[in-house]
């Protein structure tokens, strides 16, 4: 599986650890930055680029997911969710990491690097990446309604 990862200055240590750890576990890691620490950097471009790469890979039939990191993960999740086709979920415990995949077929996980130890955050990300979507009809239906709004602007009841 290809995994696109992006962060800002607040998640750089975690990003570096995840790239090393996940690469060793067999994931193909693609780093969308930043390349160097800058306490004044802005996360939107990094996260949007990673999210767009996930969507492009998935459209091309590549097994791909994404990770966006920051201090809280909130802004990074919001930025990633602006990319059409992205379903980014903020994971703060194992249940939310797994349910994001099981019920929402989330393709990007957001984690707050200042909210968890490196070990905890790694566990959340690994749980997200390993968890399959259930393909349950009710979840597919709900995701379809979100996609319809994203495409047409119309709310499907």
């Amino acid at each position: 599986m290809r995994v696109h990862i992006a962060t800002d200055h607040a998640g750089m240590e975690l990003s570096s650890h995840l790239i090393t750890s996940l690469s060793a576990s067999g994931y193909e890691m693609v780093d969308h930055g930043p390349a160097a620490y800058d306490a004044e950097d802005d996360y939107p471009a990094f996260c949007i680029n990673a999210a767009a790469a996930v969507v492009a890979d998935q459209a091309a039939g590549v097994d791909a997911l994404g990770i966006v990191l920051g201090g809280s993960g909130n802004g990074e999740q919001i930025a990633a969710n602006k990319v059409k086709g992205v379903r980014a979920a903020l994971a703060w415990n194992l249940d939310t990491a797994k349910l994001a995949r099981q019920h929402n077929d989330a393709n990007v996980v957001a984690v707050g690097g200042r909210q968890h130890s490196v070990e905890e955050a790694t566990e959340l990300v690994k749980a997200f990446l390993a968890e399959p979507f259930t393909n349950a009809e009710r979840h597919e239906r709900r995701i379809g309604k979100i996609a319809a709004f994203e495409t047409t602007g119309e709310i499907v009841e």
Side-chain angles (χ1 to χ4, degrees), residues 1 20 47-48 56 69 84 87 89 91 96 100 106 125 129 135 138 144:
M1 175 186 294
T20 301
C47 295
I48 290 168
L69 308 168
K84 185 177 178 181
R87 290 175 307 282
T96 59
V125 168
L129 295 176
N135 292 305
R138 72 182 190 278

Side-chain angles (χ1 to χ4, degrees), residues 107-138:
N107 51 7
V108 174
V109 66
V111 177
R114 293 180 176 158
Q115 310 306 310
H116 309 278
S117 68
V118 170
E119 294 77 19
E120 289 172 334
T122 302
E123 187 177 15
L124 296 177
V125 168
K126 285 184 173 183
F128 175 86
L129 295 176
E131 196 66 34
F133 177 52
T134 65
N135 292 305
E137 186 278 331
R138 72 182 190 278

Side-chain angles (χ1 to χ4, degrees), residues 28-117:
E28 177 190 347
M29 300 301 296
V30 181
D31 187 0
H32 291 271
Y37 181 85
D38 176 358
E40 296 296 317
D41 67 8
D42 295 324
Y43 59 82
F46 304 126
C47 295
I48 290 168
N49 284 332
V54 169
V55 171
D57 272 355
Q58 289 180 334
V62 175
D63 187 18
L65 292 172
I67 304 165
V68 293
L69 308 168
S72 69
N74 284 313
E76 296 76 17
Q77 175 199 26
I78 292 167
N81 274 319
K82 298 302 178 184
V83 175
K84 185 177 178 181
V86 167
R87 290 175 307 282
L90 179 66
W92 67 90
N93 62 29
L94 282 175
D95 285 340
T96 59
K98 291 177 181 179
L99 287 169
R101 293 284 304 132
Q102 289 174 1
H103 292 189
N104 308 111
D105 198 16
N107 51 7
V108 174
V109 66
V111 177
R114 293 180 176 158
Q115 310 306 310
H116 309 278
S117 68

